[in-house]
Amino acid sequence: MDINLAHFNTDIGRQKPENIIHSSAACPFCATDELTNIIATDGDIILLKNKYNVIEEADQFVLIEGRDCDADIPSYTSDHMHRLIAFGMEHWAQMRASGKYDTVLFFKNYGPYSGGTIRHPHMQLVGFPTFRQELAFHRAEFEGLTVDERDGVVLNLSTQPRVGFWELNIVPADAGATETIADYIQISVDFFMNAFRRPLTSYNIFFYNEGTDIFIKIMPRFATSPVFIGYNIRLLPSNLAEMRDRMRAKYFESKRCTE
């Protein structure tokens, strides 16, 4: 069977802290004086080795996004958002170029449906020495209805979603356009968390690469469709164009009118 199969160490997994469901539990990322194996910092942005390396075949790292435990991407200043994405993409590129890994995953979990365990905003980098990259994604999953385009970077709504419903893609022709990439990520998360028609509590951000080509997917998370879980049927919503037009009107058209 053609899959990437990894082993999850349940003994280590039982030790992991969790404060998304149990919100009164202490946050390990707030206690910065107690953090160990720090690799790099940019102000209060910190990259460190993951203390709970639950995937046995991989090296896991945590990117703490800042000191504010209650903040998240929609509330970041433009400067902080730009520094965060530039920092994360730089270290992602360094890990990919190190020669140690077949692939390096770069992603974010946020909220109870995302697969995350810690509320404090953070991302993860996971390096796999052995991995079949061709099984991770298909380029067609990043095709879609264009919402906006700037600096060689396209923001679109996926017409071939990985799971189903509304998935936003960022396809940078120039991976160096990190400020535009950061702006589009911030707009996408704000749209899902604050402007969506149904209340959302969770999302994921996934970064992909194929050679030097970079792709990013922002995916709202709710109870996953059973026809996808059971049969791998991906559902394309009938109101995709309506969602594109709502995003354009809220984030782009009014701005253009004032320029």
Side-chain angles (χ1 to χ4, degrees):
M1 186 175 181
D2 284 342
I3 59 172
N4 284 310
L5 183 67
H7 295 84
F8 185 97
N9 189 312
T10 54
D11 290 334
I12 296 175
R14 291 188 192 101
Q15 302 171 39
K16 291 181 65 176
E18 189 281 321
N19 67 359
I20 292 180
I21 305 300
H22 302 93
S23 57
S24 61
C27 174
F29 298 157
C30 286
T32 54
D33 292 343
E34 299 176 16
L35 296 175
T36 58
N37 295 318
I38 292 175
I39 296 166
T41 62
D42 179 355
D44 58 352
I45 301 169
I46 303 171
L47 177 67
L48 69 158
K49 187 80 168 65
N50 194 326
K51 185 177 180 180
Y52 302 95
N53 207 103
V54 294
I55 301 176
E56 295 180 349
E57 291 85 355
D59 295 331
Q60 295 179 248
F61 303 85
V62 175
L63 196 168
I64 300 173
E65 297 176 23
R67 67 172 57 89
D68 189 347
C69 193
D70 296 319
D72 192 43
I73 283 175
S75 65
Y76 294 163
T77 66
S78 180
D79 174 70
H80 188 86
M81 189 67 195
H82 291 170
R83 289 192 298 111
L84 171 64
I85 296 304
F87 181 88
M89 291 186 69
E90 176 187 357
H91 288 281
W92 181 42
Q94 288 179 7
M95 288 182 65
R96 299 199 318 270
S98 69
K100 294 177 62 177
Y101 306 110
D102 276 354
T103 199
V104 181
L105 311 184
F106 181 24
F107 61 94
K108 171 169 177 156
N109 305 325
Y110 182 90
Y113 291 108
S114 70
T117 57
I118 299 296
R119 164 62 179 84
H120 196 118
H122 66 285
M123 299 180 178
Q124 297 186 57
L125 292 152
V126 182
F128 282 86
T130 303
F131 189 91
R132 291 185 60 184
Q133 177 84 349
E134 73 276 10
L135 300 179
F137 72 96
H138 301 287
R139 294 179 74 107
E141 294 163 353
F142 300 93
E143 298 173 359
L145 300 182
T146 297
V147 178
D148 196 61
E149 183 173 359
R150 175 161 51 97
D151 300 329
V153 182
V154 175
L155 172 66
N156 70 43
L157 272 161
S158 182
T159 51
Q160 297 194 48
R162 282 186 60 85
V163 176
F165 296 102
W166 308 274
E167 299 177 4
L168 282 162
N169 301 318
I170 299 170
V171 185
D174 179 5
T178 57
E179 291 191 358
T180 300
I181 293 168
D183 290 341
Y184 282 165
I185 291 173
Q186 189 170 40
I187 285 168
S188 299
V189 174
D190 184 73
F191 179 70
F192 283 139
M193 299 301 285
N194 297 318
F196 212 53
R197 284 185 172 172
R198 58 182 295 184
L200 291 180
T201 61
S202 309
Y203 67 89
N204 290 111
I205 303 173
F206 301 107
F207 292 74
Y208 307 82
N209 77 287
E210 187 175 82
T212 59
D213 293 340
I214 302 297
F215 311 88
I216 302 160
K217 186 174 286 287
I218 302 94
M219 186 182 297
R221 296 298 306 275
F222 20 74
T224 306
S225 164
V227 297
F228 174 78
I229 295 294
Y231 305 101
N232 201 30
I233 298 172
R234 311 177 188 198
L235 298 176
L236 185 67
S238 60
N239 67 342
L240 210 62
E242 176 191 338
M243 297 293 276
R244 176 202 59 197
D245 294 343
R246 287 182 59 210
M247 284 196 73
R248 284 178 174 174
K250 180 173 179 58
Y251 296 102
F252 302 107
E253 290 175 0
S254 59
K255 181 179 178 181
R256 291 192 183 104
C257 290
T258 61
E259 291 177 347

